[in-house]
Amino acid sequence: MRKKFIALVLIVVFVFTVTGCGSIRTVEGPDLKKPVFVKELIYTDEMNVDLSYIQDYNWDKEISKVSIVDGPKGVTCKVYDNEEYQEDEKYTLITVHLGINSNRTDDEGNLPEDIAFNKVNITWDDGSESIEDVGSIVISSDDFDSDMVDESGGSEMGESYISLEPAERDVKITGLKFRVKDAEQYFTDITFNETPLKEISIRRPLELYEGESTDISVNTGSNMDYGNISVAADVMEKTEKGEKVYTTIFLGWNLWSDGTIRAYLKSVLD
């Protein structure tokens, strides 16, 4: 009788383990002693940015304060909230919304120089602190003209689109210039109205007639140097003197939309 009882207990434990109904976790993936902060590649003119981190199921701390370690003087951060999350079995992706403030802005709120930083000091709700590398975040002192952007979004993993407002005049598009050096390596198969970007130049511009819309399609590469990317890129047009900015768009992706939490962890921990 005793042997039957022990056998029954072992069966129950096994069932709870493989089904995830009990407290025993058997989900594949390394145990994280502390959260892994997602590397960001951000170039924006907005004073609000998001930071994301991946925590294990047993991490119970929340961020209460954030300060910039290596940025310019007079810059502070305000944590708006950190309640946005996405679960992936044993891991949870947390996104914290930050407001960036500078005491060096002029009366119109303009920055005298870019705010660029790579590291932040995190204060957790239990009072402990940690220094985290968050990639490359730049808040540009330039104001970008994105008025021509009508709609943007993504459909499947690695794919996104941007639709521009109908042209207000005849325009000759000459290409795309990223505000971040070498950012083009993170994107593949960029097309303007189904014309590959590599076939567009100042010598062979894409001609838009007044009232014609522009659909930009972008595929992201497989490079996982950064988990979240949002970089400004200028759509250029031909002029009598050369080129000028037609409008500015933002290209990128994030782990929220692509569902690659586990793949990102593997890339940074291997």
Side-chain angles (χ1 to χ4, degrees), residues 205-234:
L206 174 69
E207 296 190 21
L208 300 177
Y209 297 102
E210 181 180 351
E212 185 177 359
S213 299
T214 309
D215 294 321
I216 304 171
S217 175
V218 182
N219 286 344
T220 59
S222 59
N223 196 314
M224 295 290 285
D225 291 345
Y226 298 96
N228 296 332
I229 292 183
S230 179
V231 295
D234 295 324

Side-chain angles (χ1 to χ4, degrees), residues 41-73:
L41 180 60
I42 307 294
Y43 193 97
T44 181
D45 59 346
E46 297 289 337
M47 296 295 284
N48 298 322
V49 298
D50 292 342
L51 297 183
S52 297
Y53 62 91
I54 302 168
Q55 66 179 36
D56 213 325
Y57 68 92
N58 58 3
W59 184 264
D60 59 358
K61 300 179 184 180
E62 292 186 354
I63 292 177
S64 61
K65 295 180 182 179
V66 176
S67 59
I68 295 174
V69 174
D70 54 350
K73 294 181 179 180

Side-chain angles (χ1 to χ4, degrees), residues 102-155:
S102 174
N103 61 12
R104 300 185 61 191
T105 56
D106 59 24
D107 294 338
E108 297 179 355
N110 297 317
L111 294 170
E113 60 182 354
D114 293 351
I115 297 176
F117 58 97
N118 306 98
K119 295 181 179 180
V120 295
N121 184 70
I122 302 294
T123 301
W124 301 94
D125 56 3
D126 66 348
S128 60
E129 297 183 356
S130 62
I131 303 294
E132 305 292 347
D133 184 348
V134 293
S136 175
I137 298 177
V138 177
I139 299 174
S140 175
S141 56
D142 293 336
D143 288 328
F144 303 151
D145 183 5
S146 302
D147 292 342
M148 291 299 296
V149 176
D150 178 46
E151 186 180 6
S152 63
S155 53

